[in-house]
């Protein structure tokens, strides 16, 4: 079984990363909970998933630009 929990998933401008039949999030045995999806119109599978801008800093080196700014809906949104 696949488990996706407490992630930020950023999709391309078309709202897709992989074709539907290749996307592991669409697997019948996937558990998808407490994730934030950005640039996706909707995601119906799972529990407590949201579609929102994660509010990345967007500046600095490759890791720093993925820091979250104050007010991000992803801050303290995951579960233990």
């Amino acid at each position: 079984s696949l488990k996706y929990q407490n992630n930020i998933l950023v999709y391309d401008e078309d709202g897709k990363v992989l074709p539907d039949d290749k996307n592991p999030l669409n697997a019948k045995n996937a558990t998808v909970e407490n994730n934030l999806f950005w640039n996706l119109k909707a995601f119906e599978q799972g529990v407590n998933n949201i579609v929102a801008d994660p509010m990345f800093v967007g500046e600095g080196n490759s890791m720093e630009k993925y820091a979250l700014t104050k007010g991000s809906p992803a801050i303290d949104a995951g579960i233990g």
Side-chain angles (χ1 to χ4, degrees), residues 1 5 7 13 33-34 37 46-48 58 65 71 74 76:
S1 124
Q5 187 175 50
N7 297 289
E13 62 273 358
E33 300 175 328
N34 294 82
F37 294 91
V47 177
N48 296 325
K65 69 182 176 184
D76 296 326

Side-chain angles (χ1 to χ4, degrees), residues 27-55:
K28 291 181 181 170
N29 64 341
T31 301
V32 184
E33 300 175 328
N34 294 82
N35 297 290
L36 184 147
F37 294 91
W38 175 235
N39 216 15
L40 182 68
K41 293 177 179 58
F43 189 78
E44 297 176 7
Q45 181 178 338
V47 177
N48 296 325
N49 294 305
I50 60 172
V51 177
D53 182 347
M55 300 172 60

